[in-house]
Amino acid sequence: MNSTLRHETFSAPTAARRESGAVVKRVTTWLAALGGAFILYIGLSYLIAPESVVSGFGVPTWPVDEGTAFFAIKGVRDVASGLVIFALLLTGQRKGLGWAMLALAFVPAGDMTIVLSNGGPAAAAFGIHGLTAALVALTAGLLLRERPAGSRS
């Protein structure tokens, strides 16, 4: 009877932790997938129709003529970032995805710094790029804190 009581006492919190971990894992998966889809969309927009998205970046002056190749560079960079996220997500490399997303958080943080240092609006710098960097870093942190299936907390 003692072992039954002990089992009941500890199994409910363990089950609750497992369920909570599963919910966090689902949310983290969705955050990573949405982040990957969003940056793929942005990258493709810069490659296909840069004129439709350049004004939203936040830098007050844009290159003309030969300088427009920088739009394609940004597009390729963003598409590659999205593909890295999806490659790691689809192969189940969640720890690797966490580290990759932590590294990728540098991109929007750098974009924020570029906007601010070039006279762009603080609202765009912090509201677009800073928020994106924070969300990517949060997703990375959640991924890196995940416990492998079957491990004890």
Side-chain angles (χ1 to χ4, degrees):
M1 186 159 171
N2 227 359
S3 67
T4 304
L5 181 59
R6 201 173 349 165
H7 178 69
E8 289 173 7
T9 303
F10 291 108
S11 66
T14 302
R17 265 195 309 269
R18 242 189 322 264
E19 178 63 27
S20 172
V23 169
V24 170
K25 188 173 183 177
R26 281 192 297 273
V27 168
T28 304
T29 299
W30 275 103
L31 284 171
L34 287 173
F38 177 73
I39 200 62
L40 273 172
Y41 169 77
I42 294 296
L44 290 171
S45 296
Y46 271 93
L47 290 172
I48 296 168
E51 65 281 352
S52 69
V53 291
V54 294
S55 64
F57 190 83
V59 178
T61 58
W62 288 95
V64 292
D65 301 325
E66 297 300 314
T68 57
F70 287 105
F71 299 145
I73 292 168
K74 179 176 176 10
V76 168
R77 176 194 78 171
D78 290 350
V79 167
S81 295
L83 292 174
V84 165
I85 291 170
F86 280 112
L88 292 168
L89 191 59
L90 293 172
T91 59
Q93 302 297 318
R94 298 183 69 82
K95 189 68 76 173
L97 176 59
W99 286 112
M101 290 195 76
L102 189 59
L104 288 170
F106 177 79
V107 174
D111 291 347
M112 177 182 71
T113 303
I114 291 166
V115 170
L116 289 171
S117 65
N118 284 280
F126 295 114
I128 297 168
H129 307 293
L131 181 60
T132 300
L135 287 172
V136 172
L138 171 69
T139 303
L142 291 171
L143 283 158
L144 292 171
R145 288 183 45 89
E146 282 183 3
R147 303 274 185 245
S151 73
R152 294 184 181 198
S153 302

